[in-house]
């Protein structure tokens, strides 16, 4: 890859630092798409020993590129995203991938195809981590930033994606325990006079 090609790819990826997600960080600012992707990849790295049969290097690569389409469309919260949004993001991402140098075009296309089909162990792990990172971050944000619909969504989001793995299911359940505790502490008991 030429230096020019590398810099052009990085310029697109840099937009993920600027594009924010619906969720807040523990410090009270909106999380960037790049931060979400980075921590999803970090989770994959930290769980390498839990999945000795998986190519965790591939999972990390999937996590790093999974939201590159949001460089073109921005992030749309899952509860607002429509099929039209998904098609636009996919179309713009594919158009960009087709401009990449041949080796990167092949790799990105293969990874995106595998991630979309979600048949391989690696693609299942990536998707579960994507969902888990979102609910973990949500628990780290102040509950005052939550929308009413998120109280239930926080407990159910990612359930299907983690179901194939005992370790990922355990992480989800522990996160749900924290969610329930957070909600219980936020709801003040009624005072009767």
């Amino acid at each position: 890859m030429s230096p020019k090609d590398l810099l052009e790819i990085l310029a697109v990826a840099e937009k993920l630092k600027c594009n924010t997600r619906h969720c807040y960080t523990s410090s009270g600012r909106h999380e960037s798409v790049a931060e979400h992707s980075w921590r999803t990849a970090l989770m994959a790295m930290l769980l390498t020993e839990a999945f000795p049969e998986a190519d965790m290097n591939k999972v990390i690569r999937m996590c790093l590129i999974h939201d590159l389409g949001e460089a073109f469309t921005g992030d749309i919260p899952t509860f607002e995203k429509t099929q039209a949004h998904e098609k636009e993001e996919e179309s713009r991402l594919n158009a960009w991938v087709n401009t990449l140098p041949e080796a990167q075009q092949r790799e990105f296309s293969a990874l995106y195809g595998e991630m979309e089909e979600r048949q391989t162990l690696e693609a299942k792990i990536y998707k579960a981590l994507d969902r888990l990172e979102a609910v973990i971050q949500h628990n780290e944000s102040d509950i005052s930033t939550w929308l009413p619909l998120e109280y239930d969504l926080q407990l159910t989001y990612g359930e299907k994606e983690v179901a194939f793995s005992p370790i990922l299911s355990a992480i989800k359940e522990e996160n749900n325990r924290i969610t329930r505790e957070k909600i219980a502490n936020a709801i003040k008991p009624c005072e009767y006079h």
Side-chain angles (χ1 to χ4, degrees), residues 3-131:
K4 179 180 181 291
D5 289 336
L6 175 67
L7 293 175
E8 287 175 357
I9 292 169
L10 292 177
V12 170
E14 191 272 343
K15 290 179 173 72
L16 298 184
K17 292 182 178 184
C18 305
N19 292 348
T20 58
R21 290 171 52 89
H22 166 72
C23 193
Y24 287 79
T25 66
S26 59
S27 68
R29 67 170 174 74
H30 276 283
E31 164 191 41
S32 75
V33 177
E35 291 167 319
H36 163 71
S37 296
W38 165 77
R39 197 159 78 158
T40 303
L42 179 62
M43 289 171 64
M45 183 183 130
L46 294 171
L47 290 168
T48 296
E49 291 180 11
F51 295 99
E53 69 283 15
D55 179 350
M56 293 303 281
N57 182 47
K58 182 188 271 191
V59 175
I60 292 167
R61 294 164 92 81
M62 289 176 171
C63 293
L64 288 171
I65 70 165
H66 82 278
D67 275 339
L68 273 172
E70 293 180 10
F72 306 103
T73 62
D75 178 69
I76 300 168
T78 190
F79 48 83
E80 293 177 2
K81 201 169 207 175
T82 65
Q83 269 194 321
H85 291 128
E86 289 175 6
K87 285 185 188 297
E88 179 186 356
E89 183 179 320
E90 182 179 353
S91 173
R92 293 180 73 184
L93 176 65
N94 288 338
W96 176 70
V97 168
N98 288 333
T99 70
L100 298 177
E102 189 177 330
Q104 287 70 39
Q105 185 180 12
R106 275 195 317 271
E107 180 181 14
F108 280 42
S109 294
L111 288 171
Y112 284 126
E114 188 173 335
M115 290 158 61
E116 179 67 28
E117 291 175 10
R118 252 184 271 153
Q119 297 300 307
T120 64
L121 177 59
E122 290 80 8
K124 290 176 184 179
I125 294 169
Y126 133 73
K127 192 59 178 180
L129 295 179
D130 178 35
R131 299 287 199 230

